[in-house]
Amino acid sequence: MKRHKETQSRYRVTGCCCAALMFFQDLSGAHSSVEPATPQAGRIANLWWVMFYVSVAVLALVTAALIYAVFRRRSAREQTAPVDLSPNTNRERKATRAAAVALAVTIAILFVLLGLSFTTGRAVSFLSNESPLEIKAVGHRWWWEFQYVDPVPSRGFITANELRLPQGRQIVLTLTSNDVIHSFWAPNLMGKKDLIPGQESRLIFRPEKQGVFRGQCAEFCGFQHAQMGFLVLVESDGDFSDWYNHESQQAVQPSNDSEKRGRQVFLSSTCVMCHTIGGTPANSNIGPPLTHLASRTSIAAATLTNSRENLAKWVTDSQKIKPGNRMPPNVLGPENLDDLLNYLTSLK
Amino acid sequence: MREGILLFPRPARRSPPALRLRVVGMGALALLIFQAACKREERGFRVQPPSASAAEGSRMTDFQPGPRTPESPVKNEYEDNAYALSEGKRLFQEYNCSGCHFNGGGGIGPALMDDEWLYGDKPENIFETIVEGRPNGMPSFRGKVPDYQVWQLVAYVRSLSGQVGSNAAPGRSDHMQTSSPEQSRPRESPKLSGKPR
Ligand SMILES: [Cu+2]
């Protein structure tokens, strides 16, 4: 019996350690609130750690009290003695006092944490004087539209599911939605904020670390909510302006016959009703713009890597990949599909 | 006599049979509720809509030589499906039908919420109108809209004049409501007017 108890408790300890390890492993990486890439996310991370350690301390105290209570059971004499049922004993008074102190400490801790959250919240919504880069994010079921607003209107452009940012520049991200409520959540950059139809909200941050981070819709928005991700690429100023200049161009012209036929397939079938390819008659905003599709690393809201095979799977039957998404399946002959893929992969 | 707050009160005892009866009763009630929740409309994402050929050869007039041949009406299952109808409503905006038909009230194109039809009110007529286009300015969407979406549009167009059941017709709009919801439209009795507006 005793042996059995020992092994059981050993299992329990190992289990707890494993859970703790998994927890800490999950914290690192491209979608993490404790690996900040902006000073704003840094403040949030600090707050996170304060809350973490306070909670751990409280948990440890409560557990210790519980264990003490379990082991300090009534002595043999107490168990056999006739039970004293008069309520106002010394013991009752002591217990009441202990509970009152615990309650007071709990309330005090909660108020301190509330104060800290409040000051952090104020600190991260602060806009500095320098001119920011303005980007508008529009949520769609189930993809992200990013509009780069340029002082010269013809240089502004729209892209999808990939947010590129220059390192060290202040960003003002304006958020709104085309249909239902979504939520912009890229924890390495900033806390989450909802995208609300018919209303605009703002996020302000300054990326200071280069890298690729992942973001995710954080407000349930329908069937494919879980597959509504995006990537954030923070680049050096030079790389960013190269990319920016390229994005403000129209799509490249097809360079051979197959690509030309592919463009024809695109323009004469359903695609033209939903997508934009700059410089062609395709000019619709129901699906993501494809003007520079080939220079993105992922498709379908960071669901698949951008490869020819994945494009083929997506174009023929996207309902298999994201059931319920708003792109219909397409029946194209093998030749048409081949030409179309040649064209799509040429759209650098 | 009790003074102060009791932190360790004795639990009041409830008679076990009464308790058991209550638990059983609650369980039975929960089962009944779950039973009711079972009847849920199906959402097919890889759908088999009525085929396009169903609409082929639909006539525009009753006028015909020889004895009258009965028409076999096309059943558009989407008319009983709330999801398909709401998709139709969304597509009606997204494919810019509303740009000409103004939420069904009529503008450049004729009103679709009234009882007058130029080219017929039957699902197959409307299907043909959308796919083939009509001479006085209705564009042809042939090849540009997949068949199943055309049928969703057809179902929605018919809901504009109250031709589909109110339990499936849309009850709200994503954007500002411009008229009474499709769900509460009176059922018009369609007639072929032959005269634009
Ligand atoms: Cu979502």
Side-chain angles (χ1 to χ4, degrees), chain A residues 176-199:
Chain A
T176 187
S177 168
N178 178 55
D179 34 51
V180 297
I181 301 178
H182 302 276
S183 189
F184 182 97
W185 186 43
N188 302 68
L189 301 179
M190 190 54 186
K192 58 180 85 133
K193 191 156 234 174
D194 282 3
L195 289 78
I196 298 174
Q199 198 173 312

PDB file of all heavy atoms in Angstrom, chain A residues 176-199:
ATOM      1  N   THR A 176     -10.227  47.659 -39.217  1.00  0.00           N
ATOM      2  CA  THR A 176     -11.672  47.608 -39.399  1.00  0.00           C
ATOM      3  C   THR A 176     -12.034  46.285 -40.059  1.00  0.00           C
ATOM      4  O   THR A 176     -11.157  45.513 -40.418  1.00  0.00           O
ATOM      5  CB  THR A 176     -12.181  48.812 -40.218  1.00  0.00           C
ATOM      6  OG1 THR A 176     -13.600  48.799 -40.212  1.00  0.00           O
ATOM      7  CG2 THR A 176     -11.716  48.739 -41.652  1.00  0.00           C
ATOM      8  N   SER A 177     -13.327  46.013 -40.180  1.00  0.00           N
ATOM      9  CA  SER A 177     -13.727  44.727 -40.740  1.00  0.00           C
ATOM     10  C   SER A 177     -14.737  44.903 -41.856  1.00  0.00           C
ATOM     11  O   SER A 177     -15.486  45.881 -41.885  1.00  0.00           O
ATOM     12  CB  SER A 177     -14.328  43.845 -39.642  1.00  0.00           C
ATOM     13  OG  SER A 177     -14.947  42.726 -40.230  1.00  0.00           O
ATOM     14  N   ASN A 178     -14.719  43.949 -42.757  1.00  0.00           N
ATOM     15  CA  ASN A 178     -15.628  43.977 -43.888  1.00  0.00           C
ATOM     16  C   ASN A 178     -16.924  43.223 -43.587  1.00  0.00           C
ATOM     17  O   ASN A 178     -17.929  43.413 -44.246  1.00  0.00           O
ATOM     18  CB  ASN A 178     -14.914  43.335 -45.084  1.00  0.00           C
ATOM     19  CG  ASN A 178     -15.771  43.264 -46.304  1.00  0.00           C
ATOM     20  OD1 ASN A 178     -16.282  44.267 -46.745  1.00  0.00           O
ATOM     21  ND2 ASN A 178     -15.950  42.073 -46.846  1.00  0.00           N
ATOM     22  N   ASP A 179     -16.880  42.323 -42.602  1.00  0.00           N
ATOM     23  CA  ASP A 179     -18.083  41.521 -42.343  1.00  0.00           C
ATOM     24  C   ASP A 179     -18.393  41.398 -40.847  1.00  0.00           C
ATOM     25  O   ASP A 179     -19.201  42.148 -40.328  1.00  0.00           O
ATOM     26  CB  ASP A 179     -17.967  40.139 -43.002  1.00  0.00           C
ATOM     27  CG  ASP A 179     -16.552  39.606 -43.015  1.00  0.00           C
ATOM     28  OD1 ASP A 179     -15.926  39.600 -41.947  1.00  0.00           O
ATOM     29  OD2 ASP A 179     -16.071  39.189 -44.087  1.00  0.00           O
ATOM     30  N   VAL A 180     -17.757  40.473 -40.166  1.00  0.00           N
ATOM     31  CA  VAL A 180     -18.045  40.286 -38.739  1.00  0.00           C
ATOM     32  C   VAL A 180     -16.853  40.765 -37.921  1.00  0.00           C
ATOM     33  O   VAL A 180     -15.859  41.222 -38.483  1.00  0.00           O
ATOM     34  CB  VAL A 180     -18.336  38.802 -38.428  1.00  0.00           C
ATOM     35  CG1 VAL A 180     -19.566  38.325 -39.157  1.00  0.00           C
ATOM     36  CG2 VAL A 180     -17.138  37.939 -38.789  1.00  0.00           C
ATOM     37  N   ILE A 181     -16.927  40.638 -36.620  1.00  0.00           N
ATOM     38  CA  ILE A 181     -15.809  41.066 -35.779  1.00  0.00           C
ATOM     39  C   ILE A 181     -14.665  40.056 -35.871  1.00  0.00           C
ATOM     40  O   ILE A 181     -14.881  38.853 -35.765  1.00  0.00           O
ATOM     41  CB  ILE A 181     -16.263  41.228 -34.312  1.00  0.00           C
ATOM     42  CG1 ILE A 181     -17.388  42.243 -34.218  1.00  0.00           C
ATOM     43  CG2 ILE A 181     -15.098  41.653 -33.444  1.00  0.00           C
ATOM     44  CD1 ILE A 181     -17.921  42.427 -32.810  1.00  0.00           C
ATOM     45  N   HIS A 182     -13.482  40.567 -36.133  1.00  0.00           N
ATOM     46  CA  HIS A 182     -12.269  39.748 -36.062  1.00  0.00           C
ATOM     47  C   HIS A 182     -11.359  40.394 -35.019  1.00  0.00           C
ATOM     48  O   HIS A 182     -11.686  41.443 -34.475  1.00  0.00           O
ATOM     49  CB  HIS A 182     -11.546  39.738 -37.411  1.00  0.00           C
ATOM     50  CG  HIS A 182     -12.372  39.224 -38.557  1.00  0.00           C
ATOM     51  ND1 HIS A 182     -12.508  37.894 -38.849  1.00  0.00           N
ATOM     52  CD2 HIS A 182     -13.100  39.875 -39.492  1.00  0.00           C
ATOM     53  CE1 HIS A 182     -13.292  37.747 -39.906  1.00  0.00           C
ATOM     54  NE2 HIS A 182     -13.666  38.934 -40.319  1.00  0.00           N
ATOM     55  N   SER A 183     -10.212  39.768 -34.770  1.00  0.00           N
ATOM     56  CA  SER A 183      -9.282  40.397 -33.841  1.00  0.00           C
ATOM     57  C   SER A 183      -7.853  40.203 -34.320  1.00  0.00           C
ATOM     58  O   SER A 183      -7.453  39.092 -34.673  1.00  0.00           O
ATOM     59  CB  SER A 183      -9.465  39.815 -32.436  1.00  0.00           C
ATOM     60  OG  SER A 183      -8.717  40.566 -31.514  1.00  0.00           O
ATOM     61  N   PHE A 184      -7.100  41.312 -34.346  1.00  0.00           N
ATOM     62  CA  PHE A 184      -5.719  41.297 -34.810  1.00  0.00           C
ATOM     63  C   PHE A 184      -4.822  40.932 -33.642  1.00  0.00           C
ATOM     64  O   PHE A 184      -4.764  41.647 -32.651  1.00  0.00           O
ATOM     65  CB  PHE A 184      -5.367  42.687 -35.350  1.00  0.00           C
ATOM     66  CG  PHE A 184      -3.976  42.807 -35.897  1.00  0.00           C
ATOM     67  CD1 PHE A 184      -3.741  42.696 -37.259  1.00  0.00           C
ATOM     68  CD2 PHE A 184      -2.905  43.058 -35.058  1.00  0.00           C
ATOM     69  CE1 PHE A 184      -2.462  42.824 -37.767  1.00  0.00           C
ATOM     70  CE2 PHE A 184      -1.619  43.178 -35.563  1.00  0.00           C
ATOM     71  CZ  PHE A 184      -1.401  43.060 -36.919  1.00  0.00           C
ATOM     72  N   TRP A 185      -4.127  39.830 -33.769  1.00  0.00           N
ATOM     73  CA  TRP A 185      -3.299  39.386 -32.660  1.00  0.00           C
ATOM     74  C   TRP A 185      -1.952  38.868 -33.141  1.00  0.00           C
ATOM     75  O   TRP A 185      -1.854  37.750 -33.613  1.00  0.00           O
ATOM     76  CB  TRP A 185      -4.024  38.308 -31.848  1.00  0.00           C
ATOM     77  CG  TRP A 185      -3.301  37.913 -30.614  1.00  0.00           C
ATOM     78  CD1 TRP A 185      -2.691  38.734 -29.730  1.00  0.00           C
ATOM     79  CD2 TRP A 185      -3.105  36.585 -30.117  1.00  0.00           C
ATOM     80  NE1 TRP A 185      -2.127  38.013 -28.708  1.00  0.00           N
ATOM     81  CE2 TRP A 185      -2.370  36.701 -28.923  1.00  0.00           C
ATOM     82  CE3 TRP A 185      -3.485  35.332 -30.560  1.00  0.00           C
ATOM     83  CZ2 TRP A 185      -2.001  35.583 -28.176  1.00  0.00           C
ATOM     84  CZ3 TRP A 185      -3.137  34.222 -29.818  1.00  0.00           C
ATOM     85  CH2 TRP A 185      -2.399  34.351 -28.625  1.00  0.00           C
ATOM     86  N   ALA A 186      -0.947  39.725 -33.026  1.00  0.00           N
ATOM     87  CA  ALA A 186       0.428  39.332 -33.318  1.00  0.00           C
ATOM     88  C   ALA A 186       1.201  39.608 -32.029  1.00  0.00           C
ATOM     89  O   ALA A 186       1.713  40.697 -31.825  1.00  0.00           O
ATOM     90  CB  ALA A 186       0.995  40.138 -34.479  1.00  0.00           C
ATOM     91  N   PRO A 187       1.257  38.615 -31.131  1.00  0.00           N
ATOM     92  CA  PRO A 187       1.720  38.869 -29.762  1.00  0.00           C
ATOM     93  C   PRO A 187       3.148  39.394 -29.671  1.00  0.00           C
ATOM     94  O   PRO A 187       3.476  40.073 -28.708  1.00  0.00           O
ATOM     95  CB  PRO A 187       1.580  37.514 -29.069  1.00  0.00           C
ATOM     96  CG  PRO A 187       1.424  36.525 -30.152  1.00  0.00           C
ATOM     97  CD  PRO A 187       0.852  37.222 -31.322  1.00  0.00           C
ATOM     98  N   ASN A 188       4.006  39.078 -30.651  1.00  0.00           N
ATOM     99  CA  ASN A 188       5.365  39.613 -30.581  1.00  0.00           C
ATOM    100  C   ASN A 188       5.400  41.125 -30.796  1.00  0.00           C
ATOM    101  O   ASN A 188       6.371  41.781 -30.456  1.00  0.00           O
ATOM    102  CB  ASN A 188       6.271  38.956 -31.626  1.00  0.00           C
ATOM    103  CG  ASN A 188       6.336  37.462 -31.454  1.00  0.00           C
ATOM    104  OD1 ASN A 188       5.338  36.793 -31.674  1.00  0.00           O
ATOM    105  ND2 ASN A 188       7.469  36.934 -31.054  1.00  0.00           N
ATOM    106  N   LEU A 189       4.338  41.658 -31.423  1.00  0.00           N
ATOM    107  CA  LEU A 189       4.329  43.077 -31.742  1.00  0.00           C
ATOM    108  C   LEU A 189       3.530  43.896 -30.742  1.00  0.00           C
ATOM    109  O   LEU A 189       3.883  45.016 -30.412  1.00  0.00           O
ATOM    110  CB  LEU A 189       3.716  43.302 -33.124  1.00  0.00           C
ATOM    111  CG  LEU A 189       4.394  42.629 -34.296  1.00  0.00           C
ATOM    112  CD1 LEU A 189       3.639  42.940 -35.559  1.00  0.00           C
ATOM    113  CD2 LEU A 189       5.830  43.101 -34.417  1.00  0.00           C
ATOM    114  N   MET A 190       2.405  43.327 -30.290  1.00  0.00           N
ATOM    115  CA  MET A 190       1.458  44.135 -29.550  1.00  0.00           C
ATOM    116  C   MET A 190       0.350  43.242 -29.004  1.00  0.00           C
ATOM    117  O   MET A 190       0.178  42.137 -29.471  1.00  0.00           O
ATOM    118  CB  MET A 190       0.886  45.154 -30.549  1.00  0.00           C
ATOM    119  CG  MET A 190       0.056  46.258 -29.992  1.00  0.00           C
ATOM    120  SD  MET A 190       0.916  47.155 -28.707  1.00  0.00           S
ATOM    121  CE  MET A 190      -0.351  48.205 -28.154  1.00  0.00           C
ATOM    122  N   GLY A 191      -0.417  43.766 -28.071  1.00  0.00           N
ATOM    123  CA  GLY A 191      -1.592  43.032 -27.596  1.00  0.00           C
ATOM    124  C   GLY A 191      -2.642  42.968 -28.686  1.00  0.00           C
ATOM    125  O   GLY A 191      -2.512  43.604 -29.720  1.00  0.00           O
ATOM    126  N   LYS A 192      -3.710  42.210 -28.452  1.00  0.00           N
ATOM    127  CA  LYS A 192      -4.703  42.071 -29.514  1.00  0.00           C
ATOM    128  C   LYS A 192      -5.697  43.217 -29.507  1.00  0.00           C
ATOM    129  O   LYS A 192      -5.904  43.881 -28.495  1.00  0.00           O
ATOM    130  CB  LYS A 192      -5.422  40.727 -29.408  1.00  0.00           C
ATOM    131  CG  LYS A 192      -6.119  40.488 -28.106  1.00  0.00           C
ATOM    132  CD  LYS A 192      -6.798  39.120 -28.088  1.00  0.00           C
ATOM    133  CE  LYS A 192      -5.886  37.992 -27.677  1.00  0.00           C
ATOM    134  NZ  LYS A 192      -6.462  37.085 -26.678  1.00  0.00           N
ATOM    135  N   LYS A 193      -6.278  43.443 -30.691  1.00  0.00           N
ATOM    136  CA  LYS A 193      -7.329  44.454 -30.775  1.00  0.00           C
ATOM    137  C   LYS A 193      -8.367  44.013 -31.808  1.00  0.00           C
ATOM    138  O   LYS A 193      -8.015  43.496 -32.858  1.00  0.00           O
ATOM    139  CB  LYS A 193      -6.741  45.802 -31.168  1.00  0.00           C
ATOM    140  CG  LYS A 193      -7.728  46.933 -31.007  1.00  0.00           C
ATOM    141  CD  LYS A 193      -7.029  48.267 -30.835  1.00  0.00           C
ATOM    142  CE  LYS A 193      -7.469  48.999 -29.599  1.00  0.00           C
ATOM    143  NZ  LYS A 193      -6.734  50.210 -29.334  1.00  0.00           N
ATOM    144  N   ASP A 194      -9.637  44.264 -31.507  1.00  0.00           N
ATOM    145  CA  ASP A 194     -10.709  43.803 -32.391  1.00  0.00           C
ATOM    146  C   ASP A 194     -10.840  44.655 -33.649  1.00  0.00           C
ATOM    147  O   ASP A 194     -10.598  45.852 -33.627  1.00  0.00           O
ATOM    148  CB  ASP A 194     -12.041  43.816 -31.644  1.00  0.00           C
ATOM    149  CG  ASP A 194     -12.171  42.624 -30.719  1.00  0.00           C
ATOM    150  OD1 ASP A 194     -11.209  41.853 -30.640  1.00  0.00           O
ATOM    151  OD2 ASP A 194     -13.219  42.472 -30.078  1.00  0.00           O
ATOM    152  N   LEU A 195     -11.260  43.993 -34.732  1.00  0.00           N
ATOM    153  CA  LEU A 195     -11.610  44.679 -35.971  1.00  0.00           C
ATOM    154  C   LEU A 195     -13.134  44.693 -36.024  1.00  0.00           C
ATOM    155  O   LEU A 195     -13.746  43.632 -36.080  1.00  0.00           O
ATOM    156  CB  LEU A 195     -11.069  43.925 -37.184  1.00  0.00           C
ATOM    157  CG  LEU A 195      -9.562  43.920 -37.433  1.00  0.00           C
ATOM    158  CD1 LEU A 195      -8.884  42.948 -36.507  1.00  0.00           C
ATOM    159  CD2 LEU A 195      -9.272  43.544 -38.868  1.00  0.00           C
ATOM    160  N   ILE A 196     -13.707  45.868 -35.988  1.00  0.00           N
ATOM    161  CA  ILE A 196     -15.164  45.965 -35.861  1.00  0.00           C
ATOM    162  C   ILE A 196     -15.751  46.585 -37.117  1.00  0.00           C
ATOM    163  O   ILE A 196     -15.274  47.627 -37.573  1.00  0.00           O
ATOM    164  CB  ILE A 196     -15.527  46.782 -34.609  1.00  0.00           C
ATOM    165  CG1 ILE A 196     -14.996  46.033 -33.389  1.00  0.00           C
ATOM    166  CG2 ILE A 196     -17.027  46.998 -34.497  1.00  0.00           C
ATOM    167  CD1 ILE A 196     -15.130  46.747 -32.108  1.00  0.00           C
ATOM    168  N   PRO A 197     -16.756  45.945 -37.719  1.00  0.00           N
ATOM    169  CA  PRO A 197     -17.336  46.506 -38.941  1.00  0.00           C
ATOM    170  C   PRO A 197     -17.905  47.892 -38.692  1.00  0.00           C
ATOM    171  O   PRO A 197     -18.559  48.124 -37.669  1.00  0.00           O
ATOM    172  CB  PRO A 197     -18.430  45.506 -39.328  1.00  0.00           C
ATOM    173  CG  PRO A 197     -18.633  44.636 -38.144  1.00  0.00           C
ATOM    174  CD  PRO A 197     -17.389  44.680 -37.328  1.00  0.00           C
ATOM    175  N   GLY A 198     -17.636  48.814 -39.613  1.00  0.00           N
ATOM    176  CA  GLY A 198     -18.189  50.152 -39.508  1.00  0.00           C
ATOM    177  C   GLY A 198     -17.510  51.031 -38.476  1.00  0.00           C
ATOM    178  O   GLY A 198     -18.002  52.099 -38.149  1.00  0.00           O
ATOM    179  N   GLN A 199     -16.380  50.590 -37.969  1.00  0.00           N
ATOM    180  CA  GLN A 199     -15.706  51.377 -36.943  1.00  0.00           C
ATOM    181  C   GLN A 199     -14.200  51.180 -37.091  1.00  0.00           C
ATOM    182  O   GLN A 199     -13.763  50.120 -37.523  1.00  0.00           O
ATOM    183  CB  GLN A 199     -16.162  50.883 -35.578  1.00  0.00           C
ATOM    184  CG  GLN A 199     -15.884  51.860 -34.476  1.00  0.00           C
ATOM    185  CD  GLN A 199     -16.509  51.365 -33.192  1.00  0.00           C
ATOM    186  OE1 GLN A 199     -17.660  50.970 -33.158  1.00  0.00           O
ATOM    187  NE2 GLN A 199     -15.743  51.367 -32.133  1.00  0.00           N
TER     188      GLN A 199
END
